[in-house]
Structure formats: structure tokens, C-alpha cells
Amino acid sequence: MSDLNEHTITDAVLARLAHTPDPRMRTVVESLVRHLHGFIRDIEPTFAEWQTAIDFLTRTGQMCDDKRQEFILLSDTLGASMLVDAINHRMPAGATETTVLGPFFVEERPELPNGADLSPGRDGERLFVRGTVSSAGGGRIAGAQIDLWHSDSDGYYDVQRHDLDAPSGRGRIRSDEEGRFWFWTTQPTPYPVPHDGPVGELLRATQRHPYRPAHLHFMIAAPGHETLVTHLFVEGDAYLDSDAVFGVKDSLVVPFKYEHPGTAPDGTPMPARWRSLTYDFGLKPLAGTAPEHRA
């Protein structure tokens, strides 16, 4: 077929893919071609508009490095990340709902004991967090690996700051033999996603703000269970209904309570007002794995 036009080009491209050896890859690429060609027919772009689109994607890739992932940010702000997350995490009763990983997870984080301070010496309201990790439909899980990260009082993650020589607002702890965990940090604040690049241009062009509601990130892993990636959002935050990355779920919106001066649950004296958060996480057992009953 050489006499190609707008009506025949799609079938011609699909025919070239017919001998793709990997069945899954063939399915994915064929669907990509059909939807991409359908998109082009729908909007009928000019050459200048198509060049603008190519330039946008090129600059998006050029913004990516080991500290920033502009393509993840693009996926997040278009709702694609949450759609992929929803398809891959249909949760049973008792399992905590998931949300996006976000662009600020990094592999470098300190291993900390329960009760540690994730943000020593940092400005902001003091926050005490405690909770448990359980298997959905089962008992508590000892030794669950809990990765934590969040923004500071200025709305920045540690990887966005140049004045820090060590991780802050970030760490890994493990649940104790009764499935419990606890730590200190600072109250997270709302913040804008990076909007000085192509994604920011798109947000401005569509009259959207770049803000995310205040939240803590959790990634919890345990043998025999799906790794949970989720947030806990601050109840009452102004951006809960317009999160730039569509990550809010009602079950993840919780009170970060104000507490009077006194003694915290771990015995720490608190001379000024502070905040507390309590949450019990449920992990989804892997297929074919019976829930554990440890506590």
C-alpha cells in the first residue's frame, strides 16, 4: 500500500506492526497508533501546532534529571498517573487507598528508629505521627518498611533546597513487633508543583493553579503484601478539591489535631502547642497469600 492518505495511513501503520514478536508490546503500540491517529483527526492540527507539540515534549524531557521528573509531573497534572494507579490498585475491604508516588521520592533516605525526628532543627509546627500497619483482613504486621517524605514549612522538599547538607522531612522507619510506628516531624504545608517548565506553561494556559494540599507521603512494604503508596492529607486544607495532580481521596483526608502544651504520647515534654496525627494502615495481601494474624 503506497497511495497513503488520511483515510488509509492508520491501517498501513498497523500492518507494519503485525509481526511484532511480543504480544503485549504489539497490543500497546497498536492501541497507541489508533488513539494517536484518532487524536490528530479530531483536532486537525496545523504544522505549526504540531511543531509546538513536539517542542513541548522535547523541553519536557530536557527538564528531567536525577532531582526532577517533568514527565511524571506531566502525567500527574493530566490525571494519567491517578488513572494508572486506580487501574492497578483495586483494593479489598480494610486496605488503605493508594495515590500517586509524586516526583519527589528519592532512593537516598536515612534509616531511623521509631520515635526519631525527620526534621531536626527545622522551622514549623511540631507534629507527632503514630499508627499501625496491618494486613487487610488480618492482624498487625511487624517489621513493615515505612518510607516517609513531605514538604517543609516553606512548601519545599529537601531535594529542592540548596541550603541543606542532609535529608530533611524524609526517612525510613519500621513497625515494631506489635505493628506500631511513631515519629516526629514538622507540619506539612500546601505547595505548588514545579511550574517553571513546560508543565507550568500548560497549567497557566488552561487557567489552573499548581498547588497541592498539605500531605505526608507514605510508602509501606511488607513480605506477602502489595507495596502501599499513599498520602495523608490535612483536613480542611484549601486545595483538597482542586489538587493539581488529582491525588485526593476522601479516606485519606484526616485531622492533624492541635494539642495543648504538655507531654506527648512518647513522653516528650511539649512546652508549646503542637499537632498530632494517628492513622492505621491496611496492606493488600498478594494474590494467593493468606492474611497474617500476628497481633
Side-chain angles (χ1 to χ4, degrees):
M1 182 186 295
S2 58
D3 187 20
L4 300 178
N5 56 47
E6 65 179 286
H7 304 294
T8 61
I9 182 68
T10 302
D11 286 340
V13 176
L14 293 174
R16 299 279 182 92
L17 302 173
H19 300 294
T20 303
D22 186 309
R24 177 61 175 169
M25 183 175 183
R26 177 179 173 179
T27 297
V28 170
V29 179
E30 285 181 343
S31 181
L32 172 63
V33 169
R34 290 192 189 96
H35 285 81
L36 178 59
H37 285 212
F39 167 74
I40 293 170
R41 289 189 178 92
D42 183 38
I43 66 169
E44 296 189 340
T46 65
F47 278 109
E49 288 172 335
W50 194 246
Q51 184 58 48
T52 297
I54 297 298
D55 176 68
F56 175 84
L57 294 175
T58 300
R59 291 185 294 112
T60 298
Q62 290 169 341
M63 289 290 291
C64 299
D65 57 27
D66 62 338
K67 298 273 176 55
R68 176 166 173 172
Q69 232 303 343
E70 193 79 356
F71 267 113
I72 290 179
L73 189 60
L74 178 61
S75 173
D76 290 350
T77 56
L78 292 177
S81 297
M82 280 302 296
L83 179 56
V84 172
D85 181 82
I87 290 170
N88 282 274
H89 296 103
R90 297 177 175 113
M91 307 304 279
T96 301
E97 289 194 281
T98 60
T99 189
V100 291
L101 177 67
F104 295 116
F105 172 76
V106 295
E107 293 292 342
E108 297 77 21
R109 66 280 201 198
E111 292 269 358
L112 301 170
N114 270 302
D117 190 343
L118 272 62
S119 305
R122 303 290 292 159
D123 293 334
E125 295 178 297
R126 302 305 300 160
L127 171 66
F128 181 71
V129 182
R130 60 177 169 173
T132 62
V133 180
S134 298
S135 180
R140 302 273 185 86
I141 302 175
Q145 176 180 290
I146 307 167
D147 282 300
L148 310 150
W149 65 104
H150 65 86
S151 65
D152 62 20
S153 60
D154 295 320
Y156 292 102
Y157 287 79
D158 55 354
V159 294
Q160 295 178 284
R161 304 196 69 118
H162 302 293
D163 58 342
L164 299 176
D165 55 9
S168 181
R170 187 182 303 274
R172 171 186 287 173
I173 61 176
R174 296 179 186 273
S175 61
D176 69 6
E177 60 278 1
E178 296 181 28
R180 303 172 303 178
F181 67 89
W182 62 98
F183 62 92
W184 285 94
T185 191
T186 54
Q187 176 74 4
T189 57
Y191 64 88
V193 298
H195 54 285
D196 57 339
V199 172
E201 294 174 14
L202 181 60
L203 291 174
R204 288 187 290 275
T206 54
Q207 295 190 345
R208 291 173 56 193
H209 71 71
Y211 279 86
R212 298 216 64 205
H215 58 274
L216 296 177
H217 290 263
F218 291 80
M219 183 162 66
I220 307 177
H225 296 80
E226 288 188 5
T227 296
L228 171 67
V229 176
T230 195
H231 307 353
L232 294 181
F233 295 93
V234 178
E235 186 179 74
D237 191 281
Y239 297 106
L240 289 173
D241 293 329
S242 59
D243 179 12
V245 307
F246 305 96
V248 177
K249 296 180 179 179
D250 289 344
S251 67
L252 304 177
V253 178
V254 294
F256 286 58
K257 297 179 181 178
Y258 277 111
E259 304 287 357
H260 295 295
T263 303
D266 67 343
T268 301
M270 299 299 294
R273 193 169 68 159
W274 51 288
R275 292 217 196 198
S276 69
L277 165 65
T278 302
Y279 196 85
D280 298 317
F281 292 94
L283 303 189
K284 178 182 178 180
L286 293 173
T289 303
E292 296 189 19
H293 294 267
R294 297 194 182 181

